[in-house]
Amino acid sequence: MGRIALVGFMGSGKSTVGAQLAEKLDYTFVDLDTFIENRTQMSIPHIFATGGEAHFRQCEQEALNALGNQSRGVVLATGGGVVTQAPSRALLKEAWQAVYLRATPETILARVLQDATERPLLQDEHPDVRIRTLMAQRQNWYEEVADVTIEVDEFSVEMIVQYIVDWLDARFAER
Ligand code: S3P
């Protein structure tokens, strides 16, 4: 049994892919944002509104730590900003097989601008500029934690899931 963390920007498909991957592997699916909401009994927008991003990052780091200590056989969909914190990057590298779902800014823009109101970091006069800036800032951090990177733009969820299953098979066969 293992721990697989999906990383990537908002809208890269982490939750959708994660849920299907978990089903296929017979692992438990955990969405890190939902896990935080359950632990804190607060919605993500509420955490941002009351404690700011710094407080949210602290909650995120603690949640990641708790999951890494306790869980086996888990597929985790992380939040897009988890890689901004060095301790969270270290946790991902130590305790998880990290799969980076990489999408172009155009793909991300098309997907997330539809429901930008639910995303605290996109409450901006120019969410498109904000998305491009955040993506550019985070690119290297996603690469840093990733054990494998998948370009998701052209692929269906099923294809991405199968790619990850094949990659895991090959990786465990090496051992
Ligand atoms: C964030 C992404 C969100 C959520 C929070 C912050 C980010 O998760 O954790 O709003 O900093 O990119 P998703 O990537 O699941 O949308």
Side-chain angles (χ1 to χ4, degrees):
M1 296 293 249
R3 290 189 210 100
I4 300 155
L6 303 181
V7 301
F9 204 75
M10 298 173 223
S12 57
K14 293 164 296 191
S15 300
T16 318
V17 169
Q20 289 199 23
L21 179 65
E23 199 174 325
K24 194 145 189 167
L25 295 173
D26 203 15
Y27 281 16
T28 304
F29 172 65
V30 179
D31 181 280
L32 191 58
D33 281 349
T34 309
F35 187 80
I36 294 166
E37 290 182 329
N38 290 338
R39 262 166 83 93
T40 59
Q41 291 294 299
M42 285 203 268
S43 70
I44 302 297
H46 192 63
I47 298 174
F48 269 84
T50 52
E53 184 176 350
H55 177 56
F56 173 71
R57 296 298 169 210
Q58 190 58 38
C59 297
E60 196 174 41
Q61 206 174 294
E62 286 166 13
L64 190 61
N65 196 25
L67 284 164
N69 283 334
Q70 292 168 16
S71 314
R72 293 249 142 214
V74 169
V75 175
L76 176 68
T78 62
V82 72
V83 294
T84 59
Q85 309 302 301
S88 295
R89 293 200 297 279
L91 284 169
L92 284 168
K93 284 194 271 191
E94 261 166 49
W96 300 83
Q97 310 273 340
V99 179
Y100 172 24
L101 304 184
R102 183 162 66 195
T104 60
E106 289 67 32
T107 299
I108 297 293
L109 282 165
R111 291 184 190 173
V112 306
L113 287 183
Q114 288 166 7
D115 63 350
T117 50
E118 287 168 24
R119 302 180 191 263
L121 287 181
L122 301 185
Q123 303 316 302
D124 192 288
E125 206 182 326
H126 300 290
D128 51 335
V129 177
R130 182 99 168 108
I131 287 171
R132 286 181 193 276
T133 307
L134 287 173
M135 286 186 82
Q137 282 169 356
R138 295 174 178 179
Q139 183 64 31
N140 289 347
W141 287 322
Y142 294 131
E143 305 281 356
E144 181 190 321
V145 300
D147 292 291
V148 63
T149 298
I150 306 173
E151 313 279 349
V152 296
D153 302 87
E154 308 291 328
F155 293 111
S156 66
V157 172
E158 290 69 25
M159 288 162 90
I160 298 166
V161 168
Q162 193 56 51
Y163 186 96
I164 298 170
V165 169
D166 292 345
W167 175 78
L168 287 167
D169 282 347
R171 187 156 177 132
F172 284 113
E174 279 168 18
R175 294 190 174 161

